């Protein structure tokens, strides 16, 4: 990396790495920018700076700048009339249920209908998602069991998946011999747009690749759900 024109280093401090060897990159006078501190805070500040610069240099005429996943997802939610939110174990790990509630409230204030689709085995115990959403004061009448909402995905404008994988994996219908084959799943792939907030692209607990990740009309917002949802909430 020392040969690159510019190097941006996001490290907690300037101490040597595991090997204990001083890094001369830290003292290079030209072409190196040091952003020290917690990586989450540093990257958030960097994202804010990029967004501010983008706003100041908005494209005109035939110019066009590709949308980021958050911008794309924000546009989809802005244009949607009906939004279905699918919570999963990742939401529980990130303790993001209150942010999910805030986002749902914001969408409702904009005149959109918001529903929650609850898969019976989402999470690590029956009723796990119901308990978490109840703690966040999501009204019970907004919670729909799989059988009651599955036919509604076809007419839904946007689906927001929060930390769920196996329970929305359409491979359950086709991947014979896998642990999830034949398992009923939420038919989110039938929606017009799907926004997936997952920590990464690794398979879920069952270890089965999810073809949703490569489908057109799907926006992937990767990382900790707390950070992702806050960015999406700001965009909305």
């Amino acid at each position: 990396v020392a040969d690159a024109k510019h190097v941006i280093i996001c490290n907690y401090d300037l101490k040597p790495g595991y090997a204990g060897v001083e890094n001369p990159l830290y003292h290079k006078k030209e072409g190196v920018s040091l952003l020290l501190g917690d990586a989450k805070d540093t990257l958030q500040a960097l994202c804010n700076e990029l967004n501010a610069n983008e706003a100041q240099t908005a494209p005109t005429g035939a110019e066009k700048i590709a949308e980021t996943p958050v911008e794309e997802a924000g546009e989809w939610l802005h244009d949607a009339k009906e939004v279905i939110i699918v919570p999963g174990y990742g939401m529980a790990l990130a303790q993001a249920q209150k942010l999910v509630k805030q986002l749902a409230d914001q969408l409702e204030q904009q005149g959109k209908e918001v529903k929650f689709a609850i898969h019976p085995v989402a999470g690590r115990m029956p009723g796990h998602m119901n308990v978490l959403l109840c703690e966040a004061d999501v009204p019970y009448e907004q919670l729909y069991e799989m059988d009651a909402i599955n036919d509604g995905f076809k007419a839904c404008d946007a689906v927001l998946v929060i930390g769920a994988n196996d329970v929305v994996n359409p491979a359950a219908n086709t991947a014979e011999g896998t642990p999830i084959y034949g398992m009923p799943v939420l038919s989110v792939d039938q929606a017009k747009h799907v926004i997936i907030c997952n920590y990464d692209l690794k398979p879920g607990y069952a270890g089965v690749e999810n073809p949703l990740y490569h489908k057109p009309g799907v926006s992937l917002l990767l990382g900790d759900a707390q950070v992702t949802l806050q960015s999406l909430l700001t965009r909305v």
Side-chain angles (χ1 to χ4, degrees):
V1 301
D3 295 334
K5 185 176 181 180
H6 298 294
V7 181
I8 303 168
I9 299 175
C10 301
N11 272 2
Y12 188 77
D13 51 34
L14 295 179
K15 294 179 180 179
Y18 184 76
V21 182
E22 291 288 339
N23 193 331
L25 266 179
Y26 297 164
H27 309 292
K28 189 177 178 181
K29 294 183 179 180
E30 296 183 359
V32 174
S33 181
L34 296 169
L35 306 181
L36 304 182
D38 185 272
K40 183 184 291 186
D41 296 335
T42 302
L43 289 172
Q44 186 61 61
L46 191 57
C47 286
N48 292 340
E49 184 65 24
L50 285 171
N51 289 335
N53 290 338
E54 181 181 6
Q56 294 173 5
T57 59
T60 59
E63 297 177 6
K64 186 178 181 180
I65 297 177
E67 289 183 322
T68 67
V70 172
E71 289 174 330
E72 182 179 58
E75 287 296 321
W76 290 350
L77 291 175
H78 178 269
D79 296 338
K81 294 181 180 179
E82 180 182 348
V83 178
I84 298 177
I85 299 175
V86 180
Y89 185 59
M91 184 189 76
L93 285 177
Q95 299 182 350
Q97 58 267 30
K98 291 186 178 179
L99 277 175
V100 172
K101 164 65 171 170
Q102 290 179 35
L103 181 58
D105 289 346
Q106 183 70 21
L107 293 171
E108 286 189 313
Q109 289 173 16
Q110 295 177 1
K112 308 176 193 309
E113 182 180 12
V114 179
K115 299 177 181 178
F116 288 80
I118 309 299
H119 193 283
V121 298
R124 287 294 178 266
M125 62 181 181
H128 194 179
M129 298 299 104
N130 300 67
V131 171
L132 294 178
L133 294 174
C134 180
E135 289 177 354
D137 295 324
V138 174
Y140 182 76
E141 56 269 20
Q142 280 187 279
L143 308 183
Y144 291 79
E145 299 297 331
M146 180 175 62
D147 292 341
I149 201 171
N150 236 11
D151 290 339
F153 286 108
K154 295 178 182 178
C156 180
D157 300 308
V159 174
L160 179 60
V161 179
I162 313 291
N165 192 318
D166 292 335
V167 298
V168 299
N169 191 343
N173 301 317
T174 58
E176 296 185 19
T178 65
I180 63 172
Y181 180 65
M183 182 182 82
V185 295
L186 292 163
S187 303
V188 303
D189 59 316
Q190 297 178 1
K192 184 177 181 180
H193 296 298
V194 182
I195 303 162
I196 298 177
C197 301
N198 272 1
Y199 189 77
D200 52 34
L201 294 180
K202 294 180 180 179
Y205 185 75
V208 182
E209 292 287 340
N210 194 329
L212 265 179
Y213 296 161
H214 312 290
K215 182 182 176 182
V218 173
S219 185
L220 298 169
L221 309 182
L222 303 181
D224 185 274
Q226 285 272 1
V227 178
T228 302
L229 285 169
Q230 188 60 64
S231 298
L232 192 55
L233 186 60
T234 302
R235 173 62 57 178
V236 169

